[in-house]
Amino acid sequence: DTAVSQTPKYLVTQMGNDKSIKCEQNLGHDTMYWYKQDSKKFLKIMFSYNNKELIINETVPNRFSPKSPDKAHLNLHINSLELGDSAVYFCASSQLAGDNEQFFGPGTRLTVL
Amino acid sequence: QQQVKQSPQSLIVQKGGISIINCAYENTAFDYFPWYQQFPGKGPALLIAIRPDVSEKKEGRFTISFNKSAKQFSLHIMDSQPGDSATYFCAANQAGTALIFGKGTTLSVSS
């Protein structure tokens, strides 16, 4: 059973398009996250939701909009995609916000052409 | 401003050797220090973590050493194996805030 799953695994699209990445966790966790990993493997938090409420919103362009329909799902919608958005996006979850172990999904590799 | 500095960027170790990766942090409010392991094409996975009330934590071949006064912590991998070849990230945070990751160390263990 996959604990944290993401779809799609690969996403190739043209500049200017709008795309979404979906994330689901079956761990019963209250907190979910989106991270961006750039080409140099640097991992940076983008957003965090606790029980469907946004609790962390780092300096991310407002073209990125997270949506949490329930505490098991956290989707990421990206408008007007730019070349610099190309990266691997990871969803993660933890039992509580903050310092508990975070379980990461397999990642979605986004390539903007 | 990078709050967690990790070194080296890459590391090559012979099979059976000791791999050592170091991290330094700036924020004295940090109270949780995990290490994550990431294999190519996979998400990071928690390897081992420590809190500042202890100076060392060992789990199998993996040990974290923590020096609160120096604001440094390190990962030691004893008897390194080819299967340990991966990218390792240190991280830190305080309760309720996001994990701040180091830039990663790519470890290659040669057989």
Side-chain angles (χ1 to χ4, degrees):
Chain A
D1 286 344
T2 303
V4 181
S5 59
Q6 294 178 228
T7 54
K9 185 164 178 63
Y10 300 97
L11 188 52
V12 181
T13 188
Q14 298 288 331
M15 276 177 52
N17 285 349
D18 302 339
K19 291 293 179 186
S20 293
I21 305 172
K22 295 184 177 181
C23 178
E24 177 182 1
Q25 55 95 3
N26 63 5
L27 298 167
H29 288 168
D30 285 338
T31 307
M32 296 185 72
Y33 312 81
W34 277 110
Y35 287 86
K36 179 180 180 180
Q37 186 170 47
D38 62 22
S39 58
K40 296 183 178 179
K41 297 187 181 177
F42 183 50
L43 267 169
K44 185 169 168 53
I45 183 75
M46 298 175 69
F47 302 102
S48 175
Y49 269 72
N50 184 59
N51 220 354
K52 302 196 300 176
E53 298 290 328
L54 181 65
I55 56 172
I56 294 174
N57 184 354
E58 293 294 310
T59 308
V60 176
N62 57 15
R63 298 182 295 103
F64 290 78
S65 54
K67 286 185 172 54
S68 181
D70 54 61
K71 74 173 191 176
H73 295 84
L74 181 61
N75 304 322
L76 183 64
H77 188 76
I78 315 170
N79 290 326
S80 303
L81 278 156
E82 300 178 357
L83 292 176
D85 298 333
S86 295
V88 181
Y89 292 85
F90 287 101
C91 177
S93 72
S94 66
Q95 181 63 43
L96 297 170
D99 57 8
N100 291 73
E101 176 179 359
Q102 293 187 20
F103 293 81
F104 282 76
T108 296
R109 181 174 293 278
L110 171 65
T111 302
V112 182
L113 303 175
Chain B
Q1 181 184 10
Q2 186 186 353
Q3 296 190 51
V4 179
K5 294 184 179 180
Q6 183 172 346
S7 63
Q9 186 175 352
S10 62
L11 183 59
I12 299 175
V13 173
Q14 294 277 345
K15 179 181 175 181
I18 302 173
S19 304
I20 302 174
I21 305 171
N22 300 300
C23 280
Y25 63 98
E26 299 168 3
N27 188 341
T28 55
F30 287 156
D31 58 7
Y32 178 68
F33 303 89
W35 284 90
Y36 279 79
Q37 180 188 54
Q38 184 179 25
F39 292 104
K42 303 292 185 183
L46 180 67
L47 189 62
I48 187 171
I50 198 168
R51 295 187 185 275
D53 52 343
V54 296
S55 60
E56 186 175 282
K57 183 174 181 180
K58 184 176 180 179
E59 290 184 1
R61 296 184 294 109
F62 301 92
T63 299
I64 298 180
S65 296
F66 185 80
N67 186 329
K68 188 173 181 178
S69 61
K71 294 188 287 184
Q72 295 176 346
F73 58 111
S74 59
L75 176 69
H76 292 64
I77 306 174
M78 311 300 288
D79 187 27
S80 298
Q81 299 296 312
D84 297 331
S85 297
T87 300
Y88 293 82
F89 294 93
C90 62
N93 77 337
Q94 60 184 113
T97 66
L99 278 171
I100 307 296
F101 283 86
K103 291 192 172 183
T105 297
T106 301
L107 171 65
S108 297
V109 180
S110 59
S111 53

